[in-house]
Amino acid sequence: MIQAVIPGRETMNLEVLVLDFNGTLALDGQMLESVRDCLISLAPSLEIHILTSDTCGTVIRQCRGLPVQVKVLESREHTQEKADYLDQFGSREIVAIGNGANDQLMLEKAHLGIAVIGFEGASLKALQSADLVVNKIEDGFGLLSATQRLKASLRR
């Protein structure tokens, strides 16, 4: 669990990290090398899930050996499927990170939603649904590793 005390808000006790793959963790289906190290570092503190449409068909191979659970989306309505995936965690607090239009509801539903602009850019819908926006995924992971950054950005 990662705990963040934010003035003017309830204390966050984040237990689950749900991530989009392409555009967030990967470019053209290839996971950024720095992402691997970050996922390994966060795994002792957070249960990590990757949700993806798997546009490039590479997610299983790219995540092999990492402490993550991968879910390739099956429905025609990926936006809703991603949001519904969060229901399985009940009252556990979730941080979600994504960049696409199909991440909108997931970012909105999570206790903490982080939109990543990254190499692909970001959907305006994702940006509007997030609590925070970062330039690159490593910055998003940095918020979780150094929670005083969350405090600085989210305090009221």
Side-chain angles (χ1 to χ4, degrees):
M1 177 178 63
I2 293 175
Q3 188 173 74
V5 179
I6 312 296
R9 295 179 64 150
E10 290 185 19
T11 297
M12 285 191 267
N13 295 301
L14 303 168
E15 300 176 73
V16 180
L17 173 60
V18 179
L19 300 154
D20 170 55
F21 186 67
N22 280 301
T24 302
L25 303 178
L27 176 64
D28 300 328
Q30 302 302 305
M31 186 181 292
L32 305 170
E33 194 56 41
S34 60
V35 167
R36 293 178 179 285
D37 295 335
C38 291
L39 292 173
I40 291 167
S41 294
L42 288 170
S45 302
L46 295 167
E47 181 179 320
I48 303 172
H49 296 256
I50 296 174
L51 304 182
T52 182
S53 301
D54 202 17
T55 303
C56 300
T58 61
V59 71
I60 300 300
R61 183 171 38 85
Q62 290 292 305
C63 292
R64 189 172 292 126
L66 291 173
V68 302
Q69 295 180 42
V70 176
K71 167 69 174 159
V72 177
L73 302 173
E74 301 168 354
S75 74
R76 291 179 164 243
E77 185 53 50
H78 290 178
T79 304
Q80 191 62 53
E81 188 175 356
K82 283 186 172 188
D84 291 347
Y85 188 85
L86 276 60
D87 292 340
Q88 71 181 297
F89 302 111
S91 64
R92 295 171 70 196
E93 292 186 15
I94 302 164
V95 56
I97 305 178
N99 77 313
N102 69 358
D103 297 317
Q104 174 192 4
L105 296 178
M106 174 181 77
L107 294 172
E108 196 172 282
K109 191 173 192 177
H111 192 75
L112 175 63
I114 302 172
V116 176
I117 296 173
F119 296 108
E120 287 185 1
S123 157
L124 182 58
K125 290 179 186 266
L127 296 174
Q128 291 173 326
S129 297
D131 296 295
L132 288 169
V133 178
V134 295
N135 289 317
K136 55 186 181 174
I137 185 61
E138 294 87 352
D139 296 337
F141 290 144
L143 293 170
L144 300 175
S145 298
T147 58
Q148 73 276 11
R149 297 177 193 168
L150 287 173
K151 180 190 273 188
S153 296
L154 294 175
R155 72 178 338 130
R156 293 187 181 152

